[in-house]
Amino acid sequence: MHRRPGLSARLRLTLSYAGFLAVAGALLLAVVWMYLLRYVPDNSQGLLGTSPNRYLLVRTFAPAAAVAMVFLLVFGLVGGWILAGRMLAPLTTITAAARRAGKGSLSHRIRMEGRQDEFRELADTFDTMLEQLESHVAEQQRFAANASHELRTPLAVSRTLLDVARKDPTRDPDELIERLHAVNTRAIGLTEALLLLSRSDRGNFTRASVDLSLIAEEAAETLLPLAEHRRTTLDVTGGAARTSGSAELLLRMVTNLVQNAVVHNLPAGGTVTVHTEAHGDTSVLRVENTGRRLPPDLVPTLTEPFQRGTERVRTDEHAGVGLGLAIVHSIVRAHDGTLDLAPRPAGGLIVTVRLPGTP
């Protein structure tokens, strides 16, 4: 943005210091002058014929007052320039760091030393902002690389299938169409998941009062055929838990959690429990399922985009794209909530979502 040149902050502070000192000195001299003239007679003989009169006092005091004012002005300018430089030195450091960040360097930190004051607080806040920006940029770069890789895979498979069909005209076209349909369906699902993840990250949705218990019942009703097909018991318990947010996004959040709990379960005889409750000003949704034991170091990575633990990767018709819990995490974050994942000692996972409650 183009701006007209103006006085620097240091020069403005210097002029302010010097002006304040000059005004204070002038007021002090004015007070002294008034009190002196008050007790000095205005006649030709003076007091008892020995003390000076007002005329002599003006002739002797005025030059000294002028010299004092000039000294105060010069002292104020020099001292103000030095003091302003010392006061603005931290701001110069912060400005240099901001310029480096504007050029794309997010790895540096100010780490300003000294006692806590406004400039140190600004520097610490700037360091925290740089740290968060660096983390977000790195996360977005990993996400873009993983998304490109995931999107490239179905396209490469489609090209391979078409090349094989072109080289072998006798190949069954129904089989080719079926495989292309499956690959295309997976690519569409991945694209829709990416769009939903982007939408929830931006947080540009209309908020309304939503009851998580009703959302949980709707998601369970939708996924009940899948649970019955996999011989898994699906239960919804608890009471009303109201929050403010997007009903569509919250339904997708609960659906992803319940679907993951059903798919990543025991081959038969597994259970999935969805529980909702209100704790004061917090609405809680908990999804618990049976399944294999999960390594503790694997659980924190499950919310990363495209991060699928080897024990949770599926090759059947319900194979995911690695965005289920990432979408859940993004939706929870967009609704100012928290997401906790904990492995069950007997196997499986406990997912707890806490959202701000509403009356």
Side-chain angles (χ1 to χ4, degrees):
M1 182 178 180
H2 178 71
R3 298 179 186 272
R4 293 183 300 174
L7 298 178
S8 64
R10 185 176 185 180
L11 181 57
R12 290 200 300 268
L13 286 176
T14 300
L15 295 177
S16 299
Y17 294 154
F20 179 80
L21 186 60
V23 171
L27 290 176
L28 180 61
L29 291 176
V31 170
V32 173
W33 181 267
M34 290 175 58
Y35 272 90
L36 284 177
L37 293 182
R38 181 179 180 182
Y39 296 103
V40 175
D42 188 13
N43 52 49
S44 58
Q45 297 297 326
L47 184 63
L48 301 179
T50 59
S51 62
N53 55 20
R54 290 188 181 182
Y55 173 77
L56 294 177
L57 184 61
V58 169
R59 293 289 302 272
T60 56
F61 183 75
V67 172
M69 287 299 301
V70 172
F71 173 78
L72 286 177
L73 183 60
V74 174
F75 181 77
L77 290 174
V78 176
W81 181 261
I82 297 174
L83 289 177
R86 291 177 60 88
M87 289 294 297
L88 294 177
L91 188 60
T92 304
T93 304
I94 297 174
T95 303
R99 286 198 180 98
R100 292 183 59 186
K103 295 179 180 179
S105 175
L106 302 177
S107 60
H108 66 284
R109 301 291 183 270
I110 300 176
R111 294 188 176 90
M112 189 173 294
E113 300 179 353
R115 296 184 178 181
Q116 184 69 21
D117 58 13
E118 288 80 0
F119 287 115
R120 271 71 180 179
E121 184 178 358
L122 178 61
D124 294 342
T125 303
F126 190 79
D127 285 343
T128 303
M129 182 191 69
L130 286 179
E131 183 177 355
Q132 293 178 350
L133 283 176
E134 185 180 19
S135 175
H136 288 323
V137 169
E139 181 181 351
Q140 291 299 322
Q141 290 175 346
R142 291 194 305 269
F143 178 80
N146 291 329
S148 301
H149 174 74
E150 293 287 338
L151 287 172
R152 184 178 58 182
T153 300
L155 295 176
V157 172
S158 299
R159 186 178 63 179
T160 302
L161 291 174
L162 292 174
D163 290 342
V164 171
R166 184 175 57 182
K167 295 178 181 179
D168 186 8
T170 62
R171 190 180 183 89
D172 185 8
D174 293 335
E175 180 185 357
L176 175 63
I177 293 175
E178 186 66 26
R179 296 185 63 179
L180 284 175
H181 180 269
V183 173
N184 187 57
T185 301
R186 180 176 176 84
I188 293 175
L190 175 59
T191 304
E192 290 179 349
L194 291 173
L195 292 174
L196 179 61
L197 184 61
S198 175
R199 177 189 172 193
S200 59
D201 281 338
R202 293 194 304 267
N204 54 349
F205 52 84
T206 303
R207 293 179 178 267
S209 181
V210 180
D211 191 348
L212 293 179
S213 63
L214 300 180
I215 296 291
E217 291 177 0
E218 183 177 353
E221 183 179 356
T222 302
L223 295 172
L224 185 59
L226 174 63
E228 293 176 347
H229 175 71
R230 303 186 63 84
R231 291 179 289 177
T232 301
T233 303
L234 178 57
D235 293 326
V236 179
T237 63
R242 305 196 68 86
T243 187
S244 177
S246 168
E248 179 186 358
L249 291 178
L250 292 175
L251 177 59
R252 184 58 182 267
M253 175 194 74
V254 180
T255 301
N256 282 6
L257 289 176
V258 177
Q259 182 174 355
N260 277 356
V262 172
V263 172
H264 301 290
N265 213 308
L266 297 176
T271 61
V272 175
T273 303
V274 184
H275 182 78
T276 58
E277 60 183 354
H279 279 301
D281 57 352
T282 303
S283 295
V284 180
L285 169 76
R286 184 169 61 252
V287 180
E288 181 176 355
N289 71 312
T290 55
R292 297 181 180 181
R293 291 187 178 181
L294 297 176
D297 56 344
L298 173 65
V299 174
T301 66
L302 296 179
T303 57
E304 292 289 332
F306 306 107
Q307 298 298 319
R308 298 185 287 264
T310 55
E311 297 183 2
R312 292 174 61 84
V313 174
R314 303 203 59 85
T315 57
D316 56 15
E317 68 276 12
H318 300 291
V321 295
L323 289 175
L325 289 180
I327 292 175
V328 169
H329 187 211
S330 178
I331 293 175
V332 171
R333 186 170 51 192
H335 286 77
D336 303 321
T338 59
L339 176 66
D340 295 325
L341 279 70
R344 295 178 71 248
L349 189 67
I350 302 175
V351 181
T352 305
V353 176
R354 295 180 175 85
L355 299 176
T358 58

